Amino acid sequence: MGTENQVQSEHSIAVILPYFGNFPNYFPLWLQSCAANPSVHWFVFTDSKVTYDYPSNFTVIQCTLQDVERWAQDWLGDDIPLIRPHKLCDFKVLYGGIFSKWIEGYTHWGYCDVDLIFGDIRSFVTDEILNQYDKVFSLGHFAVMRNQPQVHEMIKAFALGPGVKEYVLLNPHTTLFDEWYGKWNVNQLFTDNGLSIYDPHCMTDAYVGSQSFKRTFWKHELGWYKPEKASNLMIWNEERGLTRYFVEGGKVQEESTLYIHLKERPMQIHAGLVEAAKVVGKRNQWAIFPSGFQVWEEGKAIEAGDFGKYQEGFFQFLDRRGSRKWKNGIYRLKLSLGLIKRQGSYENIKQNS
């Protein structure tokens, strides 16, 4: 995907991904989408012992969550805890400092989630954009910023500042520090300090409350995310990247998209899809539908009837949404019973807010 442009790029990008526990069942497909972006290098920090066919643009570091906690404390202070893996979301914007020794020499660094499938990254993150902007994208799924010590230190100072440290770093809940949300977030920090953010609507962030893929966007006037009405289907191709299909004006339209964020969806995988992708000399292509990953032959068109045919099943949708609410309820119960530690300073902030 855009290999010529990627090889000639004047900028190098390192993406940091700490992940603990079991990777999703479609992790091999995620790896394929990353492999098709050879000028981006991923550093994966994980305790997973499962053997995967990692691409050449990957460095895998075996470690534990406690190792990452120790590295974070070395940079931020001994009183900073990492209670659970999901709390890493609030530390994403601090990875540049925490993992600085791994990303030396790269002009830019970024972070990402694993519940994504990437398209052609360099067609959306061009040299022109990297030259012009300090931070590329504003959401927590995927973002890139300049690899400069002064930027790392600015974020660190903000995160350790009065109120922010207590509410963000010492808070056992995730606070969306890496997104446009709440009183304190990294995007507001950038804009307040005159640093520029490039934030186009070029990705597909799938709405959790729908059986189909509906894109959501941050709405400043609402202070939250709002889904579009149109449904989407995706085709991934190792040469063309990720294409989204949607109906507009009664016709099926298509356009390239940076990635799809599957967000909480347990995806089914068509039998033989991963194995078929390994066949030498065969162009790799597959579909990403709400019903799961499908084998999709080259030249086969997306038709209007496919948007209903391949959407998530009703009972599958109910099970997915119910399961999420149940897990959140269990976590809140553990907090109320004191089974998950809280920081006293966070309690003071909460009582005085």
Side-chain angles (χ1 to χ4, degrees), residues 93 111 135 137-139 145 154-155 158-159 164 168 176-197 199 218 220-221 223:
V93 298
Y111 48 82
K135 186 171 184 285
F137 309 127
S138 68
L139 300 179
M145 65 187 77
M154 177 192 72
I155 300 173
F158 179 63
V164 185
V168 177
L176 300 184
F177 185 52
D178 54 338
E179 302 203 4
W180 285 112
Y181 180 73
K183 183 177 180 180
W184 294 298
N185 63 75
V186 72
N187 296 310
Q188 194 62 54
L189 169 66
F190 268 65
T191 56
D192 288 348
N193 284 273
L195 300 181
S196 54
I197 301 176
D199 197 21
W218 175 261
H220 282 281
E221 61 274 18

Side-chain angles (χ1 to χ4, degrees), residues 3-256:
T3 304
E4 182 178 352
N5 179 51
Q6 296 179 48
V7 171
Q8 296 179 353
S9 174
E10 64 183 274
H11 294 292
S12 54
I13 301 174
V15 178
I16 300 170
L17 174 68
Y19 194 93
F20 301 97
N22 297 323
F23 288 108
N25 64 330
Y26 54 85
F27 184 65
L29 301 179
W30 180 83
L31 288 174
Q32 289 178 32
S33 75
C34 296
N37 289 280
S39 70
V40 179
H41 195 93
W42 274 264
F43 289 87
V44 177
F45 299 82
T46 184
D47 60 357
S48 174
K49 298 299 191 294
V50 179
T51 301
Y52 291 101
D53 186 15
Y54 283 100
S56 59
N57 57 335
F58 270 71
T59 298
V60 181
I61 298 92
Q62 285 287 328
C63 64
T64 65
L65 181 63
Q66 288 70 39
D67 291 325
V68 175
E69 181 180 54
R70 187 177 69 255
W71 298 332
Q73 290 174 345
D74 288 342
W75 194 55
L76 297 169
D78 293 340
D79 60 337
I80 304 299
L82 268 175
I83 297 172
R84 59 193 177 114
H86 195 258
K87 183 60 183 175
L88 282 165
C89 293
D90 282 337
F91 286 77
K92 284 179 180 177
V93 298
L94 297 160
Y95 289 170
I98 296 171
F99 300 99
S100 60
K101 73 176 184 180
W102 282 278
I103 59 174
E104 290 180 359
Y106 289 90
T107 64
H108 291 75
W109 75 276
Y111 48 82
C112 75
D113 289 339
V114 77
D115 55 348
L116 310 175
I117 297 294
F118 284 104
D120 185 352
I121 294 174
R122 289 293 191 155
S123 68
F124 294 94
V125 187
T126 63
D127 280 354
E128 181 181 3
I129 291 169
L130 292 174
N131 284 330
Q132 184 175 352
Y133 295 92
D134 299 291
K135 186 171 184 285
V136 182
F137 309 127
S138 68
L139 300 179
H141 336 135
F142 177 59
V144 175
M145 65 187 77
R146 299 185 194 277
N147 187 19
Q148 298 175 338
Q150 59 267 35
V151 176
H152 305 329
E153 291 298 327
M154 177 192 72
I155 300 173
K156 174 183 177 180
F158 179 63
L160 293 176
V164 185
K165 176 181 177 180
E166 288 79 10
Y167 189 74
V168 177
L169 297 186
L170 301 183
N171 189 337
H173 298 282
T174 51
T175 65
L176 300 184
F177 185 52
D178 54 338
E179 302 203 4
W180 285 112
Y181 180 73
K183 183 177 180 180
W184 294 298
N185 63 75
V186 72
N187 296 310
Q188 194 62 54
L189 169 66
F190 268 65
T191 56
D192 288 348
N193 284 273
L195 300 181
S196 54
I197 301 176
Y198 180 66
D199 197 21
H201 294 165
C202 62
M203 69 286 293
T204 303
D205 183 17
Y207 177 49
V208 296
S210 173
Q211 292 174 256
S212 59
F213 288 150
K214 295 182 184 294
R215 299 196 302 174
T216 59
F217 295 112
W218 175 261
K219 299 291 184 180
H220 282 281
E221 61 274 18
L222 297 177
W224 197 242
Y225 300 87
K226 184 177 181 180
E228 292 182 331
K229 293 182 179 180
S231 298
N232 298 266
L233 297 177
M234 306 285 160
I235 301 293
W236 184 87
N237 182 288
E238 63 181 328
E239 292 185 356
R240 294 196 302 273
L242 185 62
T243 303
R244 80 175 185 98
Y245 294 82
F246 55 99
V247 177
E248 187 176 90
K251 296 182 178 180
V252 176
Q253 310 288 340
E254 64 178 79
E255 71 173 16
S256 295

